[in-house]
Amino acid sequence: MPLATPSAVHLPLRPPAGQFYDLPHSLRPRTNPGVMAIYIHIPFCTVKCHYCDFFSVAGHLDQAPALLAALAMELRLQIQHFGSISPETIFIGGGTPTLLPPPLLQNLMTTLHQHIDFSALDEFTIEANPNTFDADCAAILHAAGVNRISFGAQSFVPTELLVLQRDHNPDNVAQAVRLARAAGIDNINLDLIFAIPGQTQNTWDYSLNQALALEPQHLSCYALMYEPNTPLTARLKSGHIQAAPESLEITLAQHTQAKLAAAGFPRYEISNYARPGRECRHNLHYWHSSNHLAIGPSAWAHYQGIRWKNVPAINRYTTALLADTPRPPIIEMEHLSARQRAGELAVLLLRLRTGLHWMEFQHRTGINAAQILSQVLQKYDGLGYLDVGPQHLALTDQAMMVSDTILADVLAAFG
Ligand code: SF4
């Protein structure tokens, strides 16, 4: 799953109706070693899952050739502006990038190789829906240097997949993992969702066992969210489904952490577990607030404290980029103050098991976090939620279920 934009302190600015922002000022306009990661958004899916609020559309693959031409143009514009880039990580998400027919998938890979310097790349991930993955797709990806695949498994229980309105079945996941490995791609993530209506501790445990049996390197386990304006939320409001009780959600979260730790997958972020050394490097760049560029409709980027987001509409995106005078399709731009940047960095670092290192934080931001957070430390003193040491601050396992509240307090302290 693509990561959400970090919680903003102030609402982003919007340009006048129908207009777009320019790319922000670049520090290094010829070559830019400061860009650590790049994200590419492919917004097509077979169907729209009922819980999903990412920007994606069901079908409309007839728009894919224009979208790929626009992506290539956006990449060219960014490289002209920021300088040539040699990122450590590339992440192609969506949507379902593997829904692209093989010639178009090949076209996308060729575009990336034409424009990006791959010499520093050590992780190249693509997201895949298990039923959109075949041997041709795997071969194209492996030949292009993709070395990590994130499959949306979500559950291994058919009735739970039905509640989510996923259009794959559990057998598709095992088959997709086999095909990826056969092609030589052996770094596999499985996305799973817990607290699905009707789920029990037994069925969740069954899904975890099925996932572990496939020997992935990484597992992302998210509690089901009822996002505004999704069919799932409408079904909840109309009484057609019932949300899992909070007590069950807490039990499932605790069970996940204990079971996966025992299986050799320590938690390294609130929702993410990995074999040691197999943590997602791309997402670690987000959580360390590194500079990252992003292309595609709805994609958001961050560079030196400026965050911006592309228009979440395929037509407007392609029209802007394929015009006689192409321009970046940016509809939101946010300039963070030094204090806001520091607050967001603190929140992102505290999502990680490693937490916030006091001295490194001060070195990077010029801000004494211990001083700023003194009241927060006092508020949670003795509750077992904070691991406070002379070197660092981290959330404990016990804090994970109330992490939203604690992180909101941390952000507010940087006000
Ligand atoms: S496959 Fe992923 S991006 Fe597409 S609708 Fe489902 S959850 Fe959303």
Side-chain angles (χ1 to χ4, degrees):
M1 294 187 189
L3 296 178
T5 314
S7 50
V9 182
H10 291 296
L11 287 176
L13 296 171
R14 284 178 181 275
Q19 294 182 29
F20 294 122
Y21 284 110
D22 290 326
L23 286 164
H25 175 69
S26 167
L27 290 180
R28 306 181 185 97
R30 266 197 286 277
T31 58
N32 203 321
V35 173
M36 308 306 286
I38 184 157
Y39 173 76
I40 296 116
H41 191 79
I42 305 293
F44 304 107
C45 290
T46 47
V47 296
K48 194 74 189 164
C49 306
H50 274 198
Y51 57 95
C52 178
D53 77 336
F54 298 124
F55 174 66
S56 68
V57 294
H60 294 283
L61 267 176
D62 54 314
Q63 297 179 339
L67 182 98
L68 292 189
L71 284 174
M73 177 56 76
E74 189 182 13
L75 196 49
R76 277 198 285 279
L77 290 182
Q78 296 210 4
I79 288 168
Q80 273 167 21
H81 185 83
F82 290 102
S84 68
I85 51 170
S86 51
E88 290 182 0
T89 64
I90 298 175
F91 194 108
I92 306 177
T96 306
T98 49
L99 191 57
L100 292 174
L104 292 184
L105 192 60
Q106 182 60 64
N107 171 323
L108 173 62
M109 295 298 148
T110 305
T111 295
L112 298 182
H113 278 272
Q114 279 170 347
H115 294 92
I116 296 173
D117 174 0
F118 272 56
S119 59
L121 199 75
D122 68 4
E123 185 186 272
F124 186 177
T125 303
I126 193 164
E127 286 186 324
N129 202 338
N131 64 348
T132 61
F133 195 76
D134 59 21
D136 286 348
C137 174
I140 290 170
L141 298 176
H142 180 255
V146 169
N147 56 16
R148 184 171 184 275
I149 302 192
S150 177
F151 288 111
Q154 317 310 359
S155 167
F156 285 83
V157 178
T159 51
E160 293 173 4
L161 292 173
L162 195 63
V163 171
L164 301 175
Q165 288 287 298
R166 295 284 307 188
D167 69 341
H168 73 272
N169 64 56
D171 291 343
N172 295 143
V173 183
Q175 168 75 356
V177 169
R178 266 196 299 278
L179 288 171
R181 293 221 171 93
I185 305 173
D186 66 352
N187 194 0
I188 304 290
N189 169 60
L190 299 177
D191 279 345
L192 294 171
I193 295 179
F194 63 93
I196 299 169
Q199 194 174 42
T200 64
Q201 184 165 352
N202 277 348
T203 62
W204 174 237
D205 191 56
Y206 173 80
S207 283
L208 288 175
N209 283 333
Q210 295 295 302
L212 289 170
L214 296 175
E215 301 184 350
Q217 281 63 43
H218 189 285
L219 288 160
S220 296
C221 301
Y222 296 95
L224 181 63
M225 301 289 290
Y226 293 88
E227 304 289 356
N229 304 320
T230 59
L232 194 75
T233 301
R235 282 160 61 203
L236 181 73
K237 284 183 180 161
S238 66
H240 285 89
I241 52 169
Q242 283 195 325
E246 197 184 338
S247 57
L248 176 64
E249 186 177 327
I250 293 172
T251 303
L252 299 185
Q254 289 169 341
H255 178 66
T256 307
Q257 192 267 323
K259 184 175 180 100
L260 294 185
F265 291 79
R267 169 156 55 192
Y268 71 98
E269 192 269 347
I270 289 174
S271 305
N272 287 280
Y273 304 79
R275 291 269 186 220
R278 295 300 195 134
E279 298 83 6
C280 176
R281 295 190 57 115
H282 186 82
N283 287 345
L284 283 171
H285 279 311
Y286 289 153
W287 292 315
H288 283 99
S289 208
S290 307
N291 292 331
H292 76 269
L293 300 183
I295 61 172
S298 82
W300 69 272
H302 166 258
Y303 184 81
Q304 300 294 119
I306 303 174
R307 193 161 52 216
W308 65 98
K309 180 180 174 180
N310 280 346
V311 64
I314 296 174
N315 271 339
R316 284 190 69 196
Y317 176 82
T318 53
T319 304
L321 284 156
L322 301 179
D324 290 342
T325 308
R327 56 165 313 154
I330 300 171
I331 56 149
E332 287 181 10
M333 178 77 70
E334 195 172 9
H335 294 252
L336 302 174
S337 68
R339 183 109 169 182
Q340 287 170 331
R341 277 180 84 179
E344 288 205 357
L345 178 63
V347 165
L348 290 169
L349 290 173
L350 288 173
R351 293 187 64 88
L352 295 167
R353 158 79 65 190
T354 45
L356 179 161
H357 189 280
W358 301 119
M359 288 306 291
E360 279 173 18
F361 189 86
Q362 179 144 17
H363 182 68
R364 184 163 165 192
T365 64
I367 289 177
N368 182 332
Q371 215 167 52
I372 292 213
L373 293 175
S374 60
Q375 285 187 359
V376 177
L377 301 186
Q378 225 170 2
K379 175 176 173 181
Y380 291 101
D381 186 32
L383 299 180
Y385 294 150
L386 299 182
D387 168 13
V388 190
Q391 309 285 337
H392 77 287
L393 170 67
L395 300 191
T396 62
D397 283 334
Q398 206 185 325
M400 292 302 168
M401 288 311 297
V402 289
S403 59
D404 285 353
T405 310
I406 300 173
L407 296 180
D409 284 342
V410 168
L411 196 60
F414 281 83

